Amino acid sequence: MCLHSLGAKYFVFSYPIVPGVSSFYLIVAFMIVCALWFGMWGVFAAYFGCVIGAGILSGLPLDVSLYWSVADLLQAFIPLIAFRYFHADPVLQTWHDLMVFMIFGVILNNLAGAIWGAFTLEIGGIISSAQLLNTMGSWFIVNIIVSGCIAPFLLYFVTPWMKTQDLYQGVKPLPSCYLKKTYL
């Protein structure tokens, strides 16, 4: 949570599009990876890291920050659920794993986060209606680029080591009976 708070604060403060939204939100890749490594603990870290770092420390009112930060929760939770549901391995060694990651860990999760985040910023009075589409589009495009470039690298190269650690709570390896089936 500390990593997410500090990263969110730095990127939102250093590269703002509008209050609370960064034009280079590098921490989104780490939120996704941490959810796949640490399960719901990673999802909670994404949410509370956003509440604290991107919200409170960046000057958003607490009430807005609490519901606005659900965007980061969605961006971490959607890939975690998809990987479990579709029996995907976060090491991304098969086309199936890669497709689950691209669809749910890059596109759908960032779309959900951008829509939720932009609308809640407007509802909270942080941005105007005129800024809504630009905020949503910028959020979505930046996060797709960041999560699509950085997260696969971390998943492919660091997950095998992470799986050997006691802290690993994320997606467990598939039983061998599942590995013989063809997915996607």
Side-chain angles (χ1 to χ4, degrees):
M1 189 169 68
C2 183
L3 171 72
H4 290 291
S5 295
L6 294 173
K9 168 60 178 151
Y10 174 76
F11 289 107
V12 166
F13 181 74
S14 300
Y15 307 100
I17 294 173
V18 296
V21 180
S22 173
S23 63
F24 184 64
Y25 198 54
L26 184 66
I27 202 68
V28 72
F30 293 94
M31 292 179 346
I32 295 164
V33 169
C34 285
L36 295 176
W37 287 344
F38 307 122
M40 285 305 295
W41 291 111
V43 173
F44 293 141
Y47 173 75
F48 289 111
C50 185
V51 168
I52 296 166
I56 296 168
L57 295 177
S58 296
L60 289 180
L62 177 60
D63 61 333
V64 174
S65 183
L66 289 173
Y67 59 79
W68 169 70
S69 295
V70 170
D72 280 17
L73 184 140
L74 292 171
Q75 289 174 281
F77 186 63
I78 290 171
L80 175 63
I81 294 302
F83 268 70
R84 288 187 176 165
Y85 181 80
F86 292 110
H87 305 286
D89 186 348
V91 180
L92 306 179
Q93 292 186 355
T94 68
W95 280 107
H96 166 72
D97 302 336
L98 188 59
M99 291 306 296
V100 170
F101 174 73
M102 293 304 293
I103 293 167
F104 297 98
V106 175
I107 298 169
L108 293 180
N109 66 326
N110 286 314
L111 182 62
I115 291 170
W116 179 272
F119 274 114
T120 56
L121 285 175
E122 182 194 15
I123 290 166
I126 306 301
I127 64 171
S128 68
S129 297
Q131 294 174 299
L132 181 67
L133 289 178
N134 184 46
T135 300
M136 193 181 306
S138 299
W139 183 320
F140 180 61
I141 290 167
V142 166
N143 284 359
I144 277 183
I145 293 168
V146 170
S147 60
C149 292
I150 296 171
F153 177 81
L154 291 171
L155 291 171
Y156 186 79
F157 289 106
V158 183
T159 301
W161 173 80
M162 185 57 79
K163 285 183 176 184
T164 66
Q165 305 305 306
D166 291 336
L167 289 174
Y168 185 82
Q169 297 296 315
V171 181
K172 303 296 185 198
L174 288 175
S176 60
C177 63
Y178 286 115
L179 296 176
K180 295 177 185 172
K181 294 182 179 180
T182 304
Y183 294 97
L184 296 178

